[in-house]
């Protein structure tokens, strides 16, 4: 269960698409962008093929990693980033749309 609500600030990180990274490496990638991953915000990463989404967050003295994967034929919508920013703040409603509205990659007839 994804324990993130509308009170959590959400950041979409563009360009880090290696989904072999675990929570420790993703936390260090956020720090390399001069952001504080320990402030309670959630950071969202998406694979290049848009089938894997990872969310990290620091909560109650724990590093938390959520991994969400679509099966073949489906993928996550890609957020359109204005001005090609590397870090982009997302509204909660856009996270919900990202998670609940898959894009159909191919149709089996």
């Amino acid at each position: 269960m994804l324990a993130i609500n509308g009170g959590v600030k959400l950041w979409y990180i563009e360009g880090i698409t290696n989904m072999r990274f675990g929570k420790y490496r993703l936390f260090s990638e956020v720090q390399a962008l001069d952001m504080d991953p320990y402030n309670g915000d959630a950071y969202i990463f998406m694979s290049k093929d848009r089938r894997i989404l990872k969310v990290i967050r620091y909560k109650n003295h724990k590093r938390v990693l959520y991994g969400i994967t679509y099966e073949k034929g489906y993928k996550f919508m890609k957020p359109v980033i204005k001005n090609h920013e590397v870090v982009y703040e997302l509204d909660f409603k856009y996270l919900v749309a990202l998670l609940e509205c898959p894009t159909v990659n191919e149709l089996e007839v």
Side-chain angles (χ1 to χ4, degrees):
M1 180 170 95
L2 189 63
I4 295 177
N5 58 31
V8 175
K9 204 175 232 187
L10 305 167
W11 299 96
Y12 176 73
I13 310 292
E14 178 78 20
I16 299 173
T17 57
N18 189 342
M19 291 295 113
R20 292 177 291 181
F21 290 170
K23 58 186 161 195
Y24 297 104
R25 178 65 186 264
L26 291 174
F27 268 76
S28 67
E29 293 291 332
V30 170
Q31 286 178 316
L33 294 170
D34 292 328
M35 299 186 79
D36 181 14
Y38 299 100
N39 63 4
D41 294 350
Y43 299 88
I44 303 160
F45 305 88
M46 188 181 302
S47 66
K48 198 178 283 188
D49 66 0
R50 298 187 353 235
R51 286 188 50 224
I52 301 170
L53 187 103
K54 287 191 174 184
V55 180
I56 60 167
R57 182 174 181 217
Y58 187 76
K59 181 180 179 185
N60 298 332
H61 309 286
K62 297 178 282 195
R63 296 180 196 204
V64 181
L65 170 68
Y66 302 101
I68 305 157
T69 306
Y70 270 122
E71 295 297 322
K72 185 178 179 184
Y74 295 92
K75 57 186 173 182
F76 291 99
M77 291 189 300
K78 182 165 176 60
V80 177
I81 307 301
K82 299 175 184 173
N83 302 326
H84 303 287
E85 298 174 26
V86 175
V87 179
Y88 183 76
E89 186 174 0
L90 285 178
D91 289 337
F92 183 72
K93 63 183 175 184
Y94 296 124
L95 176 65
V96 172
L98 242 171
L99 297 176
E100 298 300 325
C101 302
T103 302
V104 177
N105 194 24
E106 57 190 47
L107 289 175
E108 291 185 26
V109 186

